[in-house]
Amino acid sequence: MNVTVFGATGAIGSLTVTELLERGHTVTAYARNAAKVPTSWGDRVRVVIGEMSDAAAIDTAVTGADAVVSALGPSMDRKATGLPLVEGTQHILDAMKRHGVTRYIGHATPAVLDPQEKPTPVTRLIGFMPRTFMRRAYDEIHGMTDPVKASDLDWTIVRFIAPKDTPKQDKLRVGFFGTDKLGFAVPRADIAAFTAAQVDDTTYVRRAPAISN
């Protein structure tokens, strides 16, 4: 499949690009900074450079895609302002509609609920902390995911709490709060592998599975 990845040079995004390539997909990577594009990609990855406010560049990146992966996540910098990823996600959704792309995989935390979940102590805590202490990031992650959940896309939102820079374990707990036993930590490499697997797996279409080790 042809897969466009946003946030492709981030910690999880770059690992996701690698996973997609290893699975035989063709990848377009959207990045803000050309200097962060890994040299190891060589000519195996089509790269589009642009800001999240650049609707034309985003449209170029989505052109020809069979699926879109958003590895974007809010900045944790307390000096950050605005909601650039909300605007950017809307540009992505608009481009997908124009080009007839229906498969979308994104990332979030359990502050965002699966459509069939009810709040639990864990989801309440994960929502309370950023809502109270990092309100801009909280508003951005909801602003990114709520329009996706409300759309008619074949979407999957992969949720996680505490990503770690540890080796891939290939042993994940996948489920939903209130019904399944889930932990907190998960390697970024496992997040990337699970994300890449969703491109052509319909198990979690229109669901928001949570993952942990």
Side-chain angles (χ1 to χ4, degrees), residues 114-154:
D114 174 83
Q116 299 181 36
E117 275 180 342
K118 294 182 179 180
T120 69
V122 171
T123 62
R124 288 190 180 97
L125 174 64
I126 299 302
F128 170 79
M129 296 299 288
R131 187 171 63 247
T132 304
F133 300 106
M134 301 195 76
R135 184 65 195 218
R136 192 203 64 80
Y138 176 86
D139 289 344
E140 191 157 51
I141 202 163
H142 268 280
M144 293 167 61
T145 55
D146 290 349
V148 172
K149 290 169 62 181
S151 74
D152 58 0
L153 294 174
D154 294 328

Side-chain angles (χ1 to χ4, degrees), residues 6 30 48 50-63 87-88 90-92 94-96 98-99:
F6 290 89
Y30 191 86
V48 177
E51 298 289 336
M52 293 311 298
S53 59
D54 192 338
I58 289 172
D59 187 86
T60 297
V62 172
T63 301
E87 177 189 3
Q90 190 58 58
H91 289 321
I92 294 170
D94 290 344
M96 291 178 69
R98 279 193 296 273
H99 295 288

Side-chain angles (χ1 to χ4, degrees), residues 160-164 166 169 171-173 182-188 190-191 211-213:
F160 45 87
I161 297 174
K164 305 293 183 183
T166 51
Q169 297 185 20
K171 294 181 179 179
L172 284 178
R173 291 180 178 179
L182 294 159
F184 282 75
V186 59
R188 288 182 171 86
D190 280 315
I191 298 171
I211 62 174
S212 70
N213 288 131

Side-chain angles (χ1 to χ4, degrees), residues 3-200:
V3 185
T4 298
V5 180
F6 290 89
T9 58
I12 297 174
S14 60
L15 293 171
T16 302
V17 169
T18 299
E19 287 282 346
L20 289 166
L21 291 172
E22 290 178 353
R23 291 168 183 266
H25 299 297
T26 300
V27 179
T28 293
Y30 191 86
R32 293 177 56 204
N33 187 347
K36 292 185 177 181
V37 173
T39 56
S40 60
W41 288 356
D43 59 0
R44 297 184 300 157
V45 178
R46 170 182 174 239
V47 177
V48 177
I49 303 298
E51 298 289 336
M52 293 311 298
S53 59
D54 192 338
I58 289 172
D59 187 86
T60 297
V62 172
T63 301
D66 298 306
V68 166
V69 171
S70 172
L72 298 166
S75 171
M76 296 295 106
D77 186 348
R78 292 183 179 275
K79 296 180 180 179
T81 59
L83 304 173
L85 299 187
V86 176
E87 177 189 3
T89 299
Q90 190 58 58
H91 289 321
I92 294 170
L93 298 182
D94 290 344
M96 291 178 69
K97 185 175 182 179
R98 279 193 296 273
H99 295 288
V101 185
T102 59
R103 188 70 175 116
Y104 177 99
I105 300 98
H107 290 164
T109 73
V112 174
L113 294 179
D114 174 83
Q116 299 181 36
E117 275 180 342
K118 294 182 179 180
T120 69
V122 171
T123 62
R124 288 190 180 97
L125 174 64
I126 299 302
F128 170 79
M129 296 299 288
R131 187 171 63 247
T132 304
F133 300 106
M134 301 195 76
R135 184 65 195 218
R136 192 203 64 80
Y138 176 86
D139 289 344
E140 191 157 51
I141 202 163
H142 268 280
M144 293 167 61
T145 55
D146 290 349
V148 172
K149 290 169 62 181
S151 74
D152 58 0
L153 294 174
D154 294 328
W155 56 264
T156 299
I157 302 296
V158 181
R159 297 177 299 162
F160 45 87
I161 297 174
K164 305 293 183 183
D165 287 323
T166 51
K168 183 166 63 172
Q169 297 185 20
D170 291 320
K171 294 181 179 179
L172 284 178
R173 291 180 178 179
V174 183
F176 303 91
F177 293 95
T179 56
D180 300 296
K181 186 177 181 180
L182 294 159
F184 282 75
V186 59
R188 288 182 171 86
D190 280 315
I191 298 171
F194 185 82
T195 299
Q198 302 315 300
V199 166
D200 50 12

